Amino acid sequence: MFEFNSKLNCTYLTEMYGDDTEMAQMMFEHFLNNSIPEWNTIIPLIEEQNLDAVLRLVHKNKPTFMMVGLSEIHDKIRNFEKDIRSGLSWNDIANRYEAISLEINSFSTIIQHEINRLSDFVES
């Protein structure tokens, strides 16, 4: 059985994907190729103070972090969304977004490495 990187929520990933490493690989690729770029489109919306669009994208992207075992970031995004809905100031929204984004970027290399490992595992 494939063992995920210990910096990810391995218990969740094993429960979610079991032996289906092809599905895991597909989700990790989707996350890296689609979810992260879409997350990065939020900053101009914050600058424009477009609350509806910010909330829509934050909410839309939130579950993808669980799908790759980033449960701590998922929880931060869930709280971020809740706080935005509760009237967080635009300055605080921008600061929290930046902090979360730095954390997401720090995991990009791990996600790419897991894609490579999953690919090798599927091919073996």
Side-chain angles (χ1 to χ4, degrees):
M1 177 170 273
F2 185 83
E3 291 186 28
F4 290 95
N5 186 304
S6 63
K7 292 184 179 181
L8 304 175
N9 185 336
C10 299
T11 302
Y12 178 83
L13 291 172
T14 301
E15 288 173 7
M16 177 63 121
Y17 299 113
D19 291 332
D20 194 350
T21 51
E22 288 181 45
M23 178 59 81
Q25 180 183 352
M26 185 177 78
M27 291 306 299
F28 275 62
E29 288 172 348
H30 175 81
F31 178 80
L32 198 61
N33 296 327
N34 299 98
S35 298
I36 289 179
E38 189 170 48
W39 175 264
N40 292 333
T41 67
I42 295 173
I43 193 64
L45 300 172
I46 292 171
E47 291 167 356
E48 295 167 10
Q49 297 187 1
N50 187 337
L51 185 63
D52 290 338
V54 169
L55 281 169
R56 182 176 42 78
L57 284 175
V58 168
H59 182 75
K60 179 182 176 187
N61 280 277
K62 181 176 51 179
T64 65
F65 292 90
M66 280 302 295
M67 302 302 285
V68 295
L70 296 175
S71 54
E72 289 181 22
I73 294 177
H74 173 269
D75 292 344
K76 289 177 183 182
I77 293 172
R78 184 185 67 230
N79 291 330
F80 181 48
E81 179 184 14
K82 183 183 73 156
D83 292 345
I84 292 171
R85 290 184 189 283
S86 296
L88 196 63
S89 74
W90 283 107
N91 188 51
D92 288 341
I93 290 171
N95 290 337
R96 292 265 296 277
Y97 172 84
E98 283 298 320
I100 293 169
S101 294
L102 286 172
E103 200 168 347
I104 291 167
N105 290 337
S106 73
F107 277 97
S108 294
T109 304
I110 292 171
I111 298 300
Q112 181 61 60
H113 187 255
E114 290 302 273
I115 291 168
N116 296 341
R117 290 181 58 238
L118 284 160
S119 178
D120 290 345
F121 189 86
V122 167
E123 291 174 8
S124 63

